[in-house]
Amino acid sequence: MPLQMKLSAITLDCPDPLALAAFYQQATGLEPHPKSDADFASLNREDGLFIGFQRVDGYRAPSWPDQTVPQQLHICFKVEENLAEAEARLLELGAGKPDHQPHEAGRARVLTDPAGHPFCIVRG
């Protein structure tokens, strides 16, 4: 019988936890944890899942798709609006868009958060 594990948290290393939490809060609408601070911040989802952001001294952003600094984690988000609209809004919030896009334009987009972590948006 397989172990019954339920994902409870995803934590990203970054240079500024509060700034990265603010980006993801604006992008997802998740609520910030009231005890978030400059060393560790998190956003809570109603079902108990949270996304955490921990400060790392000497943080080096992933260099995706180059593997000089591996991405180590990749998050995908479903979006209800069309991908072009979602991408434009995320770019306004501070996301980046790598030149390399491995998916068809209508299927998914790879963006990077302000700390350089790659993430995908896919049509939901």
Side-chain angles (χ1 to χ4, degrees):
M1 177 185 204
L3 207 67
Q4 297 298 313
M5 293 176 36
K6 181 179 179 183
L7 182 64
S8 62
I10 297 168
T11 300
L12 302 173
D13 291 349
C14 62
D16 186 343
L18 293 172
L20 196 54
F23 168 80
Y24 279 104
Q25 179 187 12
Q26 292 175 12
T28 65
L30 296 176
E31 291 297 316
H33 190 280
K35 293 186 178 178
S36 293
D37 61 30
D39 289 322
F40 188 88
S42 69
L43 301 174
N44 301 319
R45 199 167 74 178
E46 290 177 7
D47 66 359
L49 178 69
F50 79 85
I51 302 174
F53 311 95
Q54 66 186 5
R55 187 176 63 78
V56 172
D57 292 332
Y59 172 79
R60 291 177 38 203
S63 57
W64 186 90
D66 172 338
Q67 292 298 305
T68 303
V69 180
Q71 69 177 332
Q72 299 180 16
L73 177 73
H74 185 94
I75 301 174
C76 292
F77 295 93
K78 288 183 180 176
V79 296
E80 297 304 319
E81 57 269 277
N82 80 39
L83 289 177
E85 290 172 4
E87 176 187 312
R89 175 78 175 116
L90 289 162
L91 292 173
E92 287 174 8
L93 294 174
K97 183 177 179 184
D99 291 336
H100 177 66
Q101 293 292 314
H103 307 289
E104 295 175 24
R107 194 172 135 229
R109 309 275 169 86
V110 177
L111 301 175
T112 55
D113 69 24
H117 303 105
F119 67 93
C120 280
I121 54 173
V122 297
R123 183 82 169 100

